[in-house]
Amino acid sequence: MKAWEATIRITQAATRRRTNTIFGTQGPSQTEEENDQEQIEHVEDQGNGEIFHAERFLPNGDYYSGYWLDNFPHGQGKYWWTDGCMYFGDWFRGKTVGKGTFSWPSGAMYEGNFKSGFMDGDGTYTGPNGDTYRGSWVMNLKHGHGVKEYANGDCYDGEWCRGLQEGHGRYTWKNGNYYVGEWKNGTIFGKGKMYWTNGNVYEGNWEDGFPKGNGTFRWTDGSLYVGNWSKDPNEQNGTFYPSGSLLEGGNLEWDPQQVFNVDLIECTICQPEKVPILPSQKKLALWRSSKAVDNNIRPRRMSLDGRIDAPPVDKEFGRIRLSDVAGTSASTSYNSDDSIVGLQDSDGYMLRGSPIRIPKVVKRQGQTISKGHKNYELMLNLQLGVRVSVGRPGPPPSLDLKPSAFDPREKYWTRFSPEGSKITPPHQSCEFRWKDYCPKVFRALRMLFKVDAADYMISICGNDALRELCSPGKSGSFFYLTNDDRYMIKTMKKAETKVLLRMLGAYFNHVRAFENTLVTKYYGLHCVKLSGPAQKKVRFVIMGNLFCTNYSIHRRFDLKGSTFGRMTDKAESEIEATTTLKDLDLNFIFRLQKTWFQEFRRQIDRDCEFMEQEGVMDYSLLVGIHFREADTTEDQTPSGSRTPIDNGGSENETITRLSWADMDQLLLDQAGWASIKLGINIPARVERTERKPTEGEIIQLIGEPTGELYDVILFFGVIDILQDYDITKKLEHAYKSMQCDPNSISAVDPKAYSRRFRDYIFKVFIEDN
């Protein structure tokens, strides 16, 4: 008799007895239970790798009835948790994948598609209060088109984004009033029309659920009010055009505030419901055989999205170098300060192959510039200059700038003497002169990027010193980080300064038009001219730091799509989490969820077109990876510890990490999605690749996928966008072309560079299926 058939027969007998137990009747005797267990274990020994049906009470009190494969639910099955939650539907090796129904003890229910434990695809959710949503889901959130019928009789039919109404949609109130138009972050925002049951109509701009800006209010009798709308009566202005009947009656008085105080008083949007426990947050207790139980072994647990506790790993394992082109390993032992990310496939199985070494302790980058440092006075000068230029009184910043504001000659010099002056404070540094380039433009950029002036000054000019990165970049520029890691300061060559000033107008228009642009954010461009015989000038730009985050960045890559010189020249033992690896060091493919991938493609195309039009090249995509599995270790940061660093800490202080529970809360709650933008805090998966030896001198730029997948948080952005294809780069191209394949070098024509960069990036970043 086949093992599968034997299991079915055994299960049928056990099911009859255990069903009685569930409903409170007499359960099986101890002898019967032991006999059933022995038979099931015997069948499992004979039928390893086969799908079989069984029901089991799991160690933590949960109950599962359905099909199994190697101790994972696989196929149709029903799972009850002790808290009253239940799932019935399709499983794939321990994960809810396919169609199914998830119910909560509150009476709420979801019926539809699942993917990797998440509500994902088309589905219907009925809340405990009677609200019903039918439509598209992505990672437990309403995303795409859907219809929400509220328990109070309201209804919304339209587009959703990350759990909230966004895009075009129609909201109908129970009294018959309805709005058709644009939405943003769950509120009426943009252009749209409001229709009242009495026939009145408002058509125009909205903001936060109320008319704001140009709009027209029409009455059924033909009267009109046209003008600028605002809840503030002082900002409200317009013209009232009465109908003929009103003119005859002489009634020409009407207060526009009546729309806010009367007409819209009952037109409130129902608040989104909060789901206390999401399906992907439910833990799945794995059934373990009672044979050969070792009390010293802690049971492994697995969540519905396939995460399992990493097993103990022998610390004598050799480390596989990420930058290994041929796929061979360089054997060094693991450091005790490292944790191991266990390999698992998309089905939740641990895989063969070398695990990835992830440092438990991620040290802060750079050396604190303290008194006695060669650049100490330069840092003081920089902080003084920023404090005065940002705090200087002036008209409020505006995004509507005149062309003269972008003129490269629009710059202002300020003299800083040690004694001070009317506009500069006394200081202990040497005398210097300070130059602000296009200050109105950079003030507008800071406003556009939502940077508060006071916070900006505190970050750069506060009591904490800057940190200098250990070594200058390839260009010879030095980099400095603010103590809170928000801003990076880079010294500039004169040629780079000219390029930024030349393209400043186009850059401003580009970042204003595309909120999700991936290009570097620039906040200020300045120059310090030191006094003395040398008359040394130091130009520098202040930029946003892409890796200012609560997450530890375990791997970072600088990707261009070229191969010549694109491998880290550090020894294996010197590569740390702060080491920036290059194209030939990359052994991952980045898998983005569908909507993120589509937006990523669109934005990369837009940004590359902008840089191609400006004639720049040699830019790269900086990518940071945080492995979520690395935080399953017992030494993880306690919940609630979210501050990257403590002000005033030593330079050896480490960066704290969010716990697994904190990250789930951030990624799955609707409020948490506000911190996720394109390139920042992106939940994704990476698939490990392996480069195979090739014949001749051909180098494989992208390795072959291995099927080894990891849950990660990604950070990425386009950096180094200020390199012109000037005579120097043209000579470099000509010289290197004689040594190697011209397509393998970085210095190429901007059009060719843009084309090659996009082709490469869209092979490294793919849509997650």
Side-chain angles (χ1 to χ4, degrees):
M1 182 169 56
K2 292 183 180 179
W4 184 82
E5 293 174 346
T7 305
I8 294 295
R9 293 182 60 184
I10 295 168
T11 302
Q12 288 172 347
T15 300
R16 288 192 295 271
R17 292 192 295 272
R18 288 174 181 168
T19 302
N20 292 334
T21 303
I22 293 172
F23 291 99
T25 57
Q26 181 65 37
S29 67
Q30 183 68 25
T31 304
E32 291 173 327
E33 286 284 1
E34 291 174 353
N35 184 51
D36 288 343
Q37 186 61 46
E38 289 176 0
Q39 292 185 62
I40 290 175
E41 290 171 0
H42 173 73
V43 171
E44 288 171 351
D45 292 339
Q46 299 296 321
N48 186 34
E50 295 184 7
I51 298 175
F52 60 97
H53 187 281
E55 65 165 27
R56 286 173 181 152
F57 291 93
L58 301 171
N60 66 342
D62 295 349
Y63 172 79
Y64 175 79
S65 174
Y67 289 94
W68 296 76
L69 175 65
D70 292 335
N71 288 339
F72 290 94
H74 187 81
Q76 280 277 330
K78 183 181 292 186
Y79 194 106
W80 281 276
W81 285 268
T82 55
D83 63 1
C85 292
M86 184 186 73
Y87 172 81
F88 175 74
D90 296 331
W91 298 79
F92 187 82
R93 292 197 171 187
K95 295 190 295 185
T96 54
V97 177
K99 291 187 177 296
T101 301
F102 190 96
S103 60
W104 287 262
S106 64
M109 178 180 293
Y110 170 83
E111 183 176 1
N113 290 306
F114 286 81
K115 181 179 178 182
S116 298
F118 293 90
M119 299 183 288
D120 201 301
D122 291 331
T124 300
Y125 174 82
T126 303
N129 62 349
D131 290 356
T132 302
Y133 171 83
R134 299 179 180 85
S136 179
W137 297 77
V138 172
M139 292 182 67
N140 293 337
L141 295 176
K142 306 174 188 71
H143 195 94
H145 184 269
V147 178
K148 178 74 176 284
E149 296 177 354
Y150 297 90
N152 67 350
D154 294 356
C155 179
Y156 173 81
D157 184 350
E159 297 299 315
W160 298 75
C161 181
R162 305 172 201 167
L164 297 173
Q165 297 98 324
E166 184 155 327
H168 191 272
R170 169 173 173 153
Y171 193 100
T172 304
W173 284 267
K174 60 182 178 181
N175 60 8
N177 299 339
Y178 66 96
Y179 166 84
V180 180
E182 297 176 355
W183 294 72
K184 185 176 181 180
N185 292 330
T187 62
I188 298 173
F189 199 107
K191 293 185 178 181
K193 291 184 179 181
M194 175 73 81
Y195 297 85
W196 282 267
T197 53
N198 60 11
N200 296 343
V201 178
Y202 170 82
E203 179 179 4
N205 292 315
W206 296 76
E207 186 175 304
D208 295 330
F210 295 98
K212 182 67 180 291
N214 294 326
T216 302
F217 193 95
R218 300 175 184 270
W219 286 264
T220 53
D221 63 2
S223 301
L224 298 175
Y225 179 88
V226 182
N228 183 69
W229 293 76
S230 176
K231 289 187 70 177
D232 184 353
N234 296 324
E235 296 179 359
Q236 177 86 40
N237 61 78
T239 305
F240 179 59
Y241 299 95
S243 63
S245 59
L246 288 179
L247 287 174
E248 293 175 1
N251 185 11
L252 303 180
E253 295 295 328
W254 181 75
D255 183 6
Q257 291 297 304
Q258 181 178 334
V259 174
F260 300 97
N261 300 328
V262 179
D263 296 277
L264 292 173
I265 197 67
E266 294 183 355
C267 296
T268 57
I269 308 300
C270 291
Q271 294 299 311
E273 76 286 353
K274 292 185 178 180
V275 181
I277 299 177
L278 295 166
S280 60
Q281 292 175 309
K282 294 299 296 178
K283 298 296 181 181
L284 173 64
L286 292 185
W287 181 85
R288 295 175 59 87
S289 171
S290 61
K291 295 191 339 180
V293 175
D294 186 348
N295 294 328
N296 295 323
I297 297 178
R298 186 174 60 185
R300 292 161 60 196
R301 292 179 62 83
M302 173 176 167
S303 69
L304 293 188
D305 55 356
R307 300 191 297 264
I308 64 179
D309 290 344
V313 179
D314 187 353
K315 291 189 177 181
E316 297 301 318
F317 276 152
R319 170 184 168 187
I320 294 293
R321 180 180 175 181
L322 293 178
S323 59
D324 193 344
V325 178
T328 58
S329 63
S331 295
T332 61
S333 61
Y334 282 110
N335 189 295
S336 60
D337 291 333
D338 298 336
S339 59
I340 308 303
V341 173
L343 305 186
Q344 60 184 5
D345 64 11
S346 59
D347 306 328
Y349 271 85
M350 305 305 293
L351 294 170
R352 294 178 301 169
S354 183
I356 295 179
R357 182 180 69 88
I358 298 299
K360 292 181 181 177
V361 177
V362 178
K363 296 181 180 179
R364 300 182 68 190
Q365 282 185 285
Q367 175 189 2
T368 301
I369 304 176
S370 54
K371 196 165 186 177
H373 191 283
K374 63 178 181 178
N375 289 327
Y376 179 70
E377 284 199 349
L378 178 62
M379 180 194 71
L380 293 181
N381 297 343
L382 188 155
Q383 291 179 319
L384 282 168
V386 169
R387 182 180 302 158
V388 170
S389 62
V390 175
R392 181 181 289 126
S398 172
L399 298 181
D400 298 322
L401 299 174
K402 296 180 180 179
S404 60
F406 298 93
D407 191 330
R409 293 170 295 183
E410 187 77 3
K411 47 195 174 185
Y412 300 94
W413 282 101
T414 304
R415 178 175 171 269
F416 284 78
S417 64
E419 299 80 18
S421 66
K422 292 182 179 180
I423 60 174
T424 63
H427 59 88
Q428 298 178 352
S429 181
C430 62
E431 181 175 321
F432 66 95
R433 296 183 68 197
W434 172 268
K435 184 194 290 187
D436 285 317
Y437 295 92
C438 300
K440 293 180 181 178
V441 177
F442 286 103
R443 182 172 290 192
L445 284 171
R446 292 193 293 271
M447 183 179 73
L448 185 65
F449 295 140
K450 298 179 176 58
V451 174
D452 181 76
D455 291 341
Y456 182 73
M457 283 194 291
I458 291 173
S459 294
I460 300 173
C461 317
N463 296 327
D464 299 309
L466 303 178
R467 304 199 311 276
E468 183 179 66
L469 299 192
C470 298
S471 60
K474 183 179 177 182
S475 64
S477 298
F478 283 85
F479 293 85
Y480 305 93
L481 279 172
T482 58
N483 187 64
D484 59 6
D485 287 334
R486 288 186 178 182
Y487 304 104
M488 180 174 286
I489 301 168
K490 174 188 175 184
T491 60
M492 300 269 284
K493 292 182 178 180
K494 186 176 182 179
E496 290 178 311
T497 304
K498 287 184 175 180
V499 172
L500 179 54
L501 291 173
R502 186 202 71 205
M503 61 187 289
L504 191 56
Y507 172 84
F508 181 83
N509 292 332
H510 181 77
V511 297
R512 187 178 181 183
F514 303 110
E515 182 181 359
N516 288 331
T517 180
L518 296 173
V519 298
T520 305
K521 290 180 170 61
Y522 293 117
Y523 300 114
L525 182 62
H526 312 282
C527 175
V528 171
K529 185 177 181 182
L530 303 179
S531 59
Q535 294 286 300
K536 180 183 178 182
K537 286 185 178 180
V538 181
R539 302 172 183 86
F540 58 90
V541 65
I542 302 175
M543 310 176 289
N545 178 21
L546 182 63
F547 297 151
C548 176
T549 171
N550 290 332
Y551 298 115
S552 301
I553 302 299
H554 299 130
R555 290 286 183 270
R556 54 190 74 200
F557 293 92
D558 182 275
L559 307 176
K560 293 186 177 183
S562 56
T563 57
F564 187 81
R566 298 298 295 164
M567 181 184 292
T568 305
D569 56 2
K570 285 190 175 184
E572 182 69 18
S573 59
E574 297 177 0
I575 295 179
E576 301 175 344
T578 56
T579 302
T580 301
L581 304 171
K582 300 178 182 178
D583 299 68
L584 294 181
D585 301 310
L586 180 68
N587 66 338
F588 294 110
I589 290 176
F590 305 99
R591 293 180 169 272
L592 298 181
Q593 189 273 329
K594 181 178 179 180
T595 53
W596 285 119
F597 178 72
Q598 292 173 345
E599 179 60 27
F600 174 75
R601 283 194 66 106
R602 285 193 295 266
Q603 196 57 54
I604 285 289
D605 284 335
R606 294 163 180 162
D607 291 341
C608 285
E609 288 170 3
F610 158 70
M611 292 179 286
E612 184 179 329
Q613 291 171 3
E614 293 303 308
V616 295
M617 39 73 67
D618 212 22
Y619 44 85
S620 55
L621 187 73
L622 184 63
V623 182
I625 308 175
H626 171 86
F627 288 92
R628 297 191 69 192
E629 288 88 342
D631 293 298
T632 60
T633 56
E634 294 182 357
D635 65 334
Q636 59 188 294
T637 302
S639 177
S641 179
R642 295 179 174 271
T643 306
I645 49 180
D646 291 330
N647 292 335
S650 66
E651 66 182 76
N652 294 324
E653 192 173 358
T654 59
I655 301 174
T656 64
R657 300 184 294 189
L658 290 177
S659 70
W660 188 280
D662 288 331
M663 289 189 289
D664 272 345
Q665 189 71 19
L666 176 67
L667 294 177
L668 300 179
D669 284 356
Q670 292 174 339
W673 281 82
S675 66
I676 302 176
K677 291 180 59 179
L678 186 65
I680 300 175
N681 292 341
I682 297 289
R685 295 196 299 172
V686 294
E687 181 176 4
R688 203 170 186 181
T689 61
E690 182 178 307
R691 290 184 175 85
K692 297 180 180 179
T694 56
E695 298 181 0
E697 298 181 355
I698 300 176
I699 298 177
Q700 192 175 8
L701 184 58
I702 303 174
E704 299 295 329
T706 63
E708 301 172 8
L709 296 165
Y710 306 87
D711 290 327
V712 298
I713 306 295
L714 292 183
F715 301 81
F716 48 81
V718 179
I719 63 171
D720 295 335
I721 66 170
L722 301 180
Q723 180 58 61
D724 253 335
Y725 191 57
D726 54 16
I727 186 63
T728 303
K729 287 296 179 181
K730 291 177 181 178
L731 291 174
E732 179 185 342
H733 175 81
Y735 174 74
K736 291 183 177 179
S737 296
M738 293 186 292
Q739 298 178 302
C740 59
D741 181 3
N743 293 323
S744 68
I745 61 180
S746 296
V748 295
D749 174 82
K751 289 186 177 181
Y753 191 95
S754 173
R755 182 172 58 252
R756 183 184 65 188
F757 178 79
R758 279 187 268 191
D759 289 344
Y760 171 67
I761 293 300
F762 293 148
K763 291 177 182 176
V764 172
F765 283 78
I766 63 174
E767 181 181 328
D768 194 8
N769 297 321

